[in-house]
Amino acid sequence: MRKKYIPLSVAWELTLSCNMRCMHCGSSAGTTRDKELTTTEALNLCSQLADLHAKYINLTGGEAILRKGWYDISKAIKDLGMEVSVLSNGLALTDTMIQQLRNAGVYAIALSLDGGTPHTHDSIRGVPGSFHTCLDRLKQLREENLPVTVITTVHKRNFHELPLIRDLILGKTKAWQIQIAVPIGRFPTNLIVSKEEFYAVALFIAATRKRYSVRELAVMGAHSIGYHSQIIRNTMVSPVWKGCQAGISVLGIQSNGNIKGCLSLPDSFIEGNIRQKPLADIWNDQKAFSYTRDCTPSDLKNQCATCRYGRSCRGGCTTVSASLTGAPHCDPYCLRDIEMYMIAKEERLIS
């Protein structure tokens, strides 16, 4: 009999509608997704999440606050005993919305900042002036004493500006999440960071952690950044990487009711839709989320198949692995594997 799983962390795409056209958007957001959930359906889903003992619900998009009824949904989540956060680009965030965020009792408001200069951020996000708007919203939210965090998605266009972004937000945010862009949605493969650049991102996070206290800047790597290095200490939130949590403690919900183990996964990982089956039935299906729940060492591929950490790591981030190799359990962006490659390269040069 399968172990009982609880979706502690839920990423819920409220709408695919967005007022930006970010080049790294994994869902190609812009216009409303076909047949998005009604507010009544969304409120019912809130109750279903509570019944599954979900704990942290992150409302995202698209741009979550463009969705009619977003406040009612966020308030319902809080009233049902769960914690709610909202991810926003800041462009449509009004004074009224800021007060609604306060009234909803959000535990975090995450703003997306993808450049250390106006040119870089605005060109990535496709909206002139969005850099200054984001910084203005960051300042306003802090002045309102609301819990604000920053998320940066890294690729070749902004990799070199991480120190600039750090200087801009130092002492001004509760946390800074750094993640890499992968070729899903509208993001082109040629702009993903190289393995050397990926390693440099991990070094940057480690160096920033050593230089600044958590109070000054709590920085962390997301997804596949930061585990099993022989040199760098774990740069993620959790102290130990126990493999991809999609379908184990993580759940993703698309705005039309589609369910995935993780919202960032390709649509080939959709497990069902809440309009056809209750969420509990999808989540507790004995055959669902098999790529993580039923993963064994024999499922590991490529470099992961012979790795000493394979049994616990289970091939790294499923999203990165699937988007780059076409299959789970062989994430090529692994600090340990990169280190071994660099050591082997150095030995060849010496010999």
Side-chain angles (χ1 to χ4, degrees), residues 31 70 77 83 100 103 109 117 119 137 149 176 206-207 258 262 291 310 334:
T31 57
W70 73 267
I77 291 169
E83 298 293 337
Q100 288 177 320
N103 294 338
I109 304 158
T117 63
H119 172 74
R137 294 294 176 267
T149 64
W176 182 22
N258 285 337
C262 173
Y291 54 94
C334 164

Side-chain angles (χ1 to χ4, degrees), residues 169-180:
I169 65 176
L170 186 63
K172 300 175 182 177
T173 177
K174 281 188 64 178
W176 182 22
Q177 177 176 303
I178 298 175
Q179 58 197 33
I180 63 167

Side-chain angles (χ1 to χ4, degrees), residues 25-73:
C25 183
S27 52
S28 300
T31 57
T32 304
R33 189 186 293 275
D34 187 36
K35 298 181 181 179
E36 293 190 337
L37 298 178
T38 65
T39 300
T40 299
E41 289 175 316
L43 293 175
N44 178 266
L45 181 53
C46 292
S47 297
Q48 293 186 59
L49 287 167
D51 290 342
L52 282 175
H53 305 291
K55 188 172 183 180
Y56 299 102
I57 316 298
N58 177 32
L59 302 181
T60 182
E63 176 63 15
I65 59 176
L66 292 182
R67 197 242 196 253
K68 185 178 180 181
W70 73 267
Y71 171 68
D72 295 327
I73 296 167

Side-chain angles (χ1 to χ4, degrees), residues 199-218:
Y199 197 84
V201 171
L203 284 173
F204 171 81
I205 295 172
T208 299
R209 282 186 164 186
K210 187 171 183 179
R211 182 175 179 182
Y212 300 104
S213 67
V214 172
R215 177 169 293 186
E216 290 175 298
L217 185 60

